[in-house]
Amino acid sequence: MENFTPFTALIGGSLIGLGALILFVFSGRIAGISGIAGAALFSREGRSWRLAFVAGIIAGPLLVGAVISDFSYSTPQLNWQVIVAGLLVGIGTGWGSGCTSGHGICGISRLSPRSITATVLFMFSGMLVATLLH
């Protein structure tokens, strides 16, 4: 939280919301990253737009980093904890019928009780684990 600036958070959140809105308006699809990525890997139907969506998520920070000189981001070191965390998130998105992007961004904006409940549980679980581990 040392480098938190509300302005950049507002811009980033607005762009995420705009992307979710565009996907919904033009294709009727919910921007749930786990569902999009999973179907891009394991389903032939609609694979091209899903791969383009995932490529955009990867290319976005790279493009911004090339344009803005003081932009920085990092990814965690790949170790057993990151692998286990990724597997647990994957299992959780299956159990919860979606991920934080699908429920937290798209579901809450539609006032879905299931999505509101899921997002509260995601946040509580994350805070609990962070508190216990740090």
Side-chain angles (χ1 to χ4, degrees):
M1 294 295 286
E2 295 172 8
N3 300 321
F4 176 74
T5 58
F7 182 69
T8 55
L10 178 64
I11 291 172
S14 297
L15 289 173
I16 291 169
L18 179 63
L21 177 65
I22 289 170
L23 183 64
F24 185 74
V25 167
F26 289 105
S27 70
R29 306 260 183 195
I30 300 297
I33 306 307
S34 62
I36 292 172
L41 292 173
F42 302 113
S43 175
R44 290 192 184 273
E45 184 181 335
R47 180 176 277 170
S48 59
W49 76 263
R50 288 181 171 95
L51 289 173
F53 192 93
V54 172
I57 290 172
I58 295 168
L62 298 174
L63 179 63
V64 171
V67 173
I68 300 174
S69 60
D70 65 343
F71 177 78
S72 66
Y73 64 94
S74 63
T75 58
Q77 292 279 41
L78 187 60
N79 59 33
W80 70 270
Q81 293 168 318
V82 173
I83 293 169
V84 168
L87 291 171
L88 289 172
V89 167
I91 292 167
T93 59
W95 284 349
S97 300
C99 59
T100 52
S101 56
H103 285 299
I105 296 168
C106 299
I108 289 177
S109 66
R110 294 185 340 244
L111 301 176
S112 164
R114 184 178 77 149
S115 291
I116 293 168
T117 302
T119 304
V120 168
L121 290 172
F122 294 152
M123 298 302 292
F124 175 76
S125 299
M127 288 184 280
L128 178 65
V129 169
T131 301
L132 292 174
L133 293 180
H134 299 287

